[in-house]
Amino acid sequence: MDIFYPIKIVADFLTFTILNIQTETHIAHVVNFFIYDTIKILLLLVIIIFTISFVRTFIPAEKIRSILVRKNEFVGNILASLFGIITPFCTCSAIPLFLGFIQAGVPLGVTFSFLISSPMINEVALVLLLGMFGWKIALLYVITGLIIAILSGIIIGRLKPENLIEDFVFKQKISAHFEETKISVSKRAYFASEYTLGIIKKVWPYLLVGIGLGALIHGYVPASALTAIIGSSHWYSVPVAVIIGIPLYSNAAGIIPLVSVLLEKGVSVGTALAFMMSVTALSLPEFIILKKVMKTQLILIFAGIVATGIIATGYIFNIILS
């Protein structure tokens, strides 16, 4: 039995009994979709974010910095990409830690692996993908996202673009020294609870808007309107989806519900996920913030390398899952 079946029962009860909406109508599909996905995603977020944040109390950011500084190039890229999975899910909130890595002496290519991985594959994205698409697509997405982050960081590091970082970034070095402290389990659980509540407070507007848009599209927008632009039969659908996604700004909570509906409307998996990757890993607000700490040339290099990786991933998804 579907583990989310009890949630479906609750959504059906609220939609058709409490709200008394007539079945098989557009509004019924919209409301039922909205209630079901909202309950399911919030429940998954609370469970997974609490668990990950509790575990993360044993691995402070200062310790991660010191580890990354000591490791060789490729290991550093891999570790930074993996660390990005359990860090803040929004690109703009990941940038301060990205700068901390630079100031701590972490190689620039390694810091970019973190910056790419953090918004693209994190606890929120993983939870939503798992809940909506199942473990196979979630796992494939995580693997390809990690590959993009690792290879992009390695390429950027090989280009030696340190001269394209603003000078003030390097003026204040952050110590990589980490002093171990004993913290009780209850305090760690309290921190995890507070962190989870803080994340939910930040994410719920994006979540409701994303699910709401997805519900409206699910109930009212004909498949032809979406597939005409990024339909699975067009060779240019993947790069067009990436281009469309870049000007948009959202986190995983806001965009994945919409991706779910795109798939229902006939858009191929690779195209839909390439769109999601471009929204979460490449965005105009991110570029505006990065412009304060690096030169335009490096932003273009970063965007070009990541976009190329996303497009390649979209085509690979379409080939494997066709």
Side-chain angles (χ1 to χ4, degrees):
M1 187 178 79
D2 184 358
I3 61 173
F4 300 114
Y5 183 70
I7 299 176
K8 181 67 169 65
I9 293 176
V10 172
D12 289 345
F13 175 74
L14 292 174
T15 303
F16 306 119
T17 302
I18 299 299
L19 298 177
N20 196 27
I21 299 176
Q22 186 178 355
T23 60
E24 301 305 323
T25 61
H26 289 300
I27 189 64
H29 287 296
V30 170
V31 173
N32 191 256
F33 180 96
F34 181 82
I35 294 174
Y36 173 78
D37 270 31
T38 299
I39 296 174
K40 180 178 71 174
I41 292 170
L42 284 176
L43 182 62
L44 285 171
L45 285 178
V46 170
I47 295 172
I48 300 299
I49 293 176
F50 176 85
T51 302
I52 292 178
S53 58
F54 179 78
V55 173
R56 195 161 63 213
T57 62
F58 295 91
I59 315 174
E62 291 81 1
K63 185 67 173 181
I64 294 295
R65 291 187 189 125
S66 66
I67 292 173
L68 293 178
V69 168
R70 293 197 300 265
K71 296 296 180 180
N72 64 53
E73 176 188 14
F74 301 120
V75 174
N77 287 105
I78 294 171
L79 292 177
S81 299
L82 291 172
F83 182 56
I85 297 177
I86 58 172
T87 51
F89 51 86
C90 171
T91 300
C92 296
S93 65
I95 289 176
L97 192 53
F98 165 82
L99 294 177
F101 285 165
I102 295 178
Q103 294 168 344
V106 176
L108 190 57
V110 174
T111 64
F112 269 103
S113 287
F114 164 79
L115 183 63
I116 297 165
S117 170
S118 181
M120 187 184 297
I121 39 174
N122 52 72
E123 62 263 39
V124 177
L126 183 57
V127 167
L128 298 181
L129 285 168
L130 185 63
M132 291 188 168
F133 308 132
W135 70 269
K136 291 183 180 180
I137 290 183
L139 179 61
L140 188 56
Y141 179 86
V142 169
I143 292 174
T144 53
L146 282 172
I147 291 174
I148 291 174
I150 294 168
L151 293 182
S152 297
I154 291 174
I155 293 172
I156 291 174
R158 289 298 180 89
L159 294 176
K160 305 294 183 183
E162 282 76 10
N163 62 314
L164 300 178
I165 298 289
E166 297 295 343
D167 293 336
F168 78 88
V169 175
F170 299 102
K171 287 184 178 179
Q172 184 177 3
K173 296 290 184 181
I174 295 179
S175 174
H177 174 70
F178 174 74
E179 185 176 353
E180 192 69 37
T181 59
K182 294 184 178 180
I183 304 175
S184 66
V185 173
S186 61
K187 287 184 178 180
R188 294 181 192 275
Y190 176 78
F191 167 80
S193 300
E194 290 292 304
Y195 179 82
T196 301
L197 181 61
I199 294 295
I200 297 299
K201 286 181 178 179
K202 290 179 181 179
V203 78
W204 75 263
Y206 294 99
L207 181 66
L208 295 183
V209 170
I211 295 176
L213 289 174
L216 289 172
I217 293 174
H218 175 80
Y220 287 100
V221 178
S224 58
L226 296 173
T227 56
I229 301 175
I230 53 175
S232 57
S233 61
H234 303 311
W235 67 266
Y236 54 80
S237 61
V238 174
V240 169
V242 171
I243 293 172
I244 293 174
I246 291 176
L248 304 177
Y249 175 67
S250 180
N251 52 37
I255 202 64
I256 291 181
L258 181 58
V259 170
S260 176
V261 176
L262 291 177
L263 293 176
E264 289 183 5
K265 296 297 183 179
V267 176
S268 63
V269 174
T271 303
L273 293 184
F275 169 73
M276 186 187 83
M277 284 180 168
S278 68
V279 173
T280 56
L282 298 171
S283 67
L284 289 181
E286 173 191 13
F287 297 154
I288 291 172
I289 295 175
L290 288 177
K291 185 65 176 66
K292 298 178 181 179
V293 298
M294 64 181 66
K295 297 178 182 178
T296 303
Q297 184 180 350
L298 182 53
I299 295 177
L300 293 176
I301 292 172
F302 161 66
I305 292 174
V306 176
T308 301
I310 291 173
I311 291 171
T313 299
Y315 283 126
I316 293 172
F317 264 94
N318 284 342
I319 293 172
I320 294 177
L321 302 175
S322 59

Coordinates of all heavy atoms in Angstrom, one line a residue, residues 14-46:
L14 N -11.3 16.2 3.4 CA -11.4 17.7 3.5 C -12.0 18.3 2.2 O -12.8 19.2 2.3 CB -10.0 18.3 3.7 CG -9.4 17.9 5.1 CD1 -7.9 18.5 5.1 CD2 -10.2 18.6 6.2
T15 N -11.6 17.7 1.1 CA -12.1 18.3 -0.2 C -13.6 18.0 -0.5 O -14.4 18.9 -0.8 CB -11.3 17.7 -1.4 OG1 -9.9 18.0 -1.2 CG2 -11.7 18.3 -2.7
F16 N -14.0 16.7 -0.3 CA -15.3 16.4 -0.8 C -16.4 16.3 0.4 O -17.5 16.4 0.1 CB -15.2 15.0 -1.4 CG -14.2 14.9 -2.5 CD1 -13.2 14.1 -2.5 CD2 -14.4 15.8 -3.6 CE1 -12.2 14.0 -3.5 CE2 -13.4 15.7 -4.7 CZ -12.4 14.8 -4.6
T17 N -15.9 16.2 1.6 CA -16.9 16.2 2.7 C -16.9 17.5 3.5 O -18.0 18.1 3.6 CB -16.5 15.0 3.7 OG1 -16.4 13.8 3.0 CG2 -17.5 15.0 4.9
I18 N -15.8 18.0 3.9 CA -15.8 19.2 4.7 C -16.1 20.4 3.8 O -17.0 21.2 4.1 CB -14.4 19.4 5.4 CG1 -14.2 18.3 6.4 CG2 -14.4 20.8 6.1 CD1 -15.2 18.2 7.5
L19 N -15.4 20.5 2.7 CA -15.6 21.6 1.7 C -16.7 21.4 0.8 O -17.2 22.3 0.1 CB -14.3 21.9 0.9 CG -13.1 22.3 1.8 CD1 -11.9 22.5 0.9 CD2 -13.4 23.6 2.5
N20 N -17.2 20.1 0.7 CA -18.3 19.7 -0.1 C -18.2 20.2 -1.6 O -19.1 20.7 -2.2 CB -19.6 20.3 0.5 CG -20.9 19.7 -0.1 OD1 -20.8 18.5 -0.5 ND2 -22.0 20.4 -0.1
I21 N -17.0 19.9 -2.1 CA -16.8 20.3 -3.5 C -17.2 19.1 -4.4 O -16.8 17.9 -4.1 CB -15.3 20.6 -3.8 CG1 -14.9 21.8 -2.9 CG2 -15.0 20.9 -5.3 CD1 -13.5 22.2 -3.0
Q22 N -17.9 19.3 -5.5 CA -18.3 18.3 -6.4 C -17.2 17.6 -7.0 O -16.2 18.2 -7.5 CB -19.3 18.8 -7.4 CG -19.9 17.8 -8.3 CD -20.9 18.4 -9.3 OE1 -21.2 19.6 -9.2 NE2 -21.4 17.6 -10.2
T23 N -17.2 16.3 -7.1 CA -16.1 15.5 -7.6 C -16.1 15.7 -9.2 O -17.0 16.1 -9.8 CB -16.2 14.0 -7.3 OG1 -17.5 13.5 -7.9 CG2 -16.2 13.8 -5.8
E24 N -14.9 15.4 -9.7 CA -14.7 15.4 -11.2 C -14.9 16.8 -11.8 O -15.3 16.9 -12.9 CB -15.6 14.4 -11.9 CG -15.3 12.9 -11.5 CD -13.9 12.5 -11.6 OE1 -13.2 12.9 -12.6 OE2 -13.4 11.8 -10.7
T25 N -14.6 17.8 -11.0 CA -14.6 19.2 -11.5 C -13.2 19.7 -11.4 O -12.3 19.2 -10.7 CB -15.5 20.1 -10.7 OG1 -15.1 20.1 -9.3 CG2 -17.0 19.5 -10.7
H26 N -12.9 20.8 -12.2 CA -11.6 21.4 -12.2 C -11.2 21.9 -10.8 O -10.1 21.6 -10.3 CB -11.6 22.6 -13.2 CG -11.6 22.2 -14.6 ND1 -10.7 21.4 -15.2 CD2 -12.5 22.5 -15.6 CE1 -11.0 21.2 -16.5 NE2 -12.1 21.9 -16.7
I27 N -12.1 22.5 -10.1 CA -11.8 23.1 -8.8 C -11.6 21.9 -7.8 O -10.7 22.0 -6.9 CB -12.9 24.0 -8.3 CG1 -12.5 24.7 -7.0 CG2 -14.2 23.2 -8.1 CD1 -11.4 25.6 -7.1
A28 N -12.2 20.8 -8.0 CA -12.0 19.6 -7.1 C -10.6 19.1 -7.3 O -9.9 18.8 -6.3 CB -13.0 18.5 -7.4
H29 N -10.1 19.0 -8.5 CA -8.8 18.5 -8.8 C -7.8 19.5 -8.2 O -6.7 19.1 -7.6 CB -8.6 18.4 -10.3 CG -9.3 17.2 -10.9 ND1 -9.0 15.9 -10.6 CD2 -10.3 17.2 -11.8 CE1 -9.7 15.1 -11.3 NE2 -10.6 15.8 -12.0
V30 N -8.0 20.8 -8.3 CA -7.1 21.8 -7.8 C -7.0 21.7 -6.3 O -5.9 21.7 -5.7 CB -7.5 23.2 -8.2 CG1 -6.7 24.3 -7.5 CG2 -7.4 23.4 -9.7
V31 N -8.1 21.8 -5.6 CA -8.1 21.8 -4.1 C -7.6 20.5 -3.6 O -6.8 20.5 -2.6 CB -9.6 22.0 -3.6 CG1 -9.6 21.8 -2.1 CG2 -10.1 23.4 -4.0
N32 N -8.0 19.3 -4.1 CA -7.5 18.0 -3.7 C -6.0 17.9 -3.8 O -5.3 17.5 -2.9 CB -8.2 16.9 -4.4 CG -8.0 15.6 -3.7 OD1 -7.2 14.8 -4.3 ND2 -8.6 15.3 -2.6
F33 N -5.5 18.3 -5.0 CA -4.0 18.3 -5.2 C -3.3 19.2 -4.2 O -2.3 18.8 -3.7 CB -3.8 18.8 -6.7 CG -2.3 18.8 -7.1 CD1 -1.8 17.8 -7.8 CD2 -1.5 19.9 -6.7 CE1 -0.4 17.8 -8.1 CE2 -0.2 20.0 -7.1 CZ 0.4 18.9 -7.8
F34 N -3.9 20.4 -4.0 CA -3.2 21.3 -3.1 C -3.2 20.8 -1.6 O -2.1 20.8 -1.0 CB -4.0 22.7 -3.1 CG -3.4 23.7 -2.2 CD1 -2.3 24.5 -2.7 CD2 -3.9 24.0 -1.0 CE1 -1.7 25.4 -1.8 CE2 -3.3 24.9 -0.1 CZ -2.2 25.7 -0.6
I35 N -4.3 20.3 -1.1 CA -4.3 19.8 0.2 C -3.4 18.6 0.4 O -2.6 18.5 1.3 CB -5.8 19.4 0.6 CG1 -6.6 20.7 0.7 CG2 -5.8 18.7 2.0 CD1 -8.1 20.4 0.9
Y36 N -3.5 17.6 -0.6 CA -2.7 16.4 -0.5 C -1.2 16.7 -0.5 O -0.4 16.3 0.4 CB -3.0 15.5 -1.6 CG -2.2 14.3 -1.7 CD1 -2.4 13.2 -0.9 CD2 -1.1 14.2 -2.7 CE1 -1.6 12.0 -1.0 CE2 -0.3 13.1 -2.8 CZ -0.5 12.0 -1.9 OH 0.3 10.9 -2.0
D37 N -0.7 17.5 -1.4 CA 0.7 17.8 -1.5 C 1.2 18.6 -0.4 O 2.3 18.5 0.1 CB 1.0 18.5 -2.9 CG 1.3 17.5 -4.0 OD1 0.8 16.4 -3.9 OD2 2.1 17.8 -4.9
T38 N 0.4 19.6 0.1 CA 0.8 20.4 1.2 C 1.1 19.6 2.5 O 2.1 19.7 3.1 CB -0.2 21.5 1.5 OG1 -0.4 22.3 0.3 CG2 0.2 22.4 2.7
I39 N 0.1 18.7 2.8 CA 0.3 17.9 4.0 C 1.4 16.9 3.9 O 2.3 16.8 4.8 CB -1.0 17.1 4.3 CG1 -2.2 18.0 4.6 CG2 -0.8 16.1 5.4 CD1 -3.5 17.3 4.7
K40 N 1.5 16.3 2.7 CA 2.6 15.3 2.5 C 4.0 16.0 2.6 O 4.9 15.5 3.3 CB 2.4 14.6 1.1 CG 3.5 13.6 0.8 CD 3.3 12.9 -0.5 CE 3.5 13.8 -1.7 NZ 3.4 13.1 -3.0
I41 N 4.1 17.1 1.9 CA 5.5 17.7 1.8 C 5.9 18.3 3.2 O 7.0 18.2 3.6 CB 5.5 18.8 0.7 CG1 5.4 18.1 -0.6 CG2 6.7 19.6 0.8 CD1 5.1 19.1 -1.8
L42 N 4.9 18.9 3.9 CA 5.3 19.5 5.2 C 5.6 18.4 6.2 O 6.6 18.6 6.9 CB 4.1 20.3 5.7 CG 3.8 21.7 5.1 CD1 2.6 22.3 5.7 CD2 5.0 22.6 5.4
L43 N 4.9 17.3 6.1 CA 5.3 16.2 7.0 C 6.6 15.6 6.7 O 7.5 15.4 7.6 CB 4.2 15.1 6.8 CG 4.4 13.8 7.7 CD1 4.3 14.2 9.2 CD2 3.3 12.8 7.4
L44 N 7.0 15.4 5.4 CA 8.3 14.9 5.1 C 9.4 15.9 5.4 O 10.4 15.5 5.9 CB 8.3 14.6 3.6 CG 7.6 13.4 3.1 CD1 7.5 13.4 1.6 CD2 8.2 12.1 3.6
L45 N 9.1 17.2 5.2 CA 10.1 18.2 5.6 C 10.4 18.2 7.0 O 11.6 18.2 7.4 CB 9.6 19.6 5.1 CG 9.6 19.9 3.7 CD1 9.1 21.3 3.4 CD2 11.0 19.8 3.1
V46 N 9.4 18.1 7.9 CA 9.7 18.1 9.3 C 10.5 17.0 9.7 O 11.5 17.1 10.5 CB 8.3 18.2 10.1 CG1 8.6 17.9 11.6 CG2 7.6 19.5 9.9

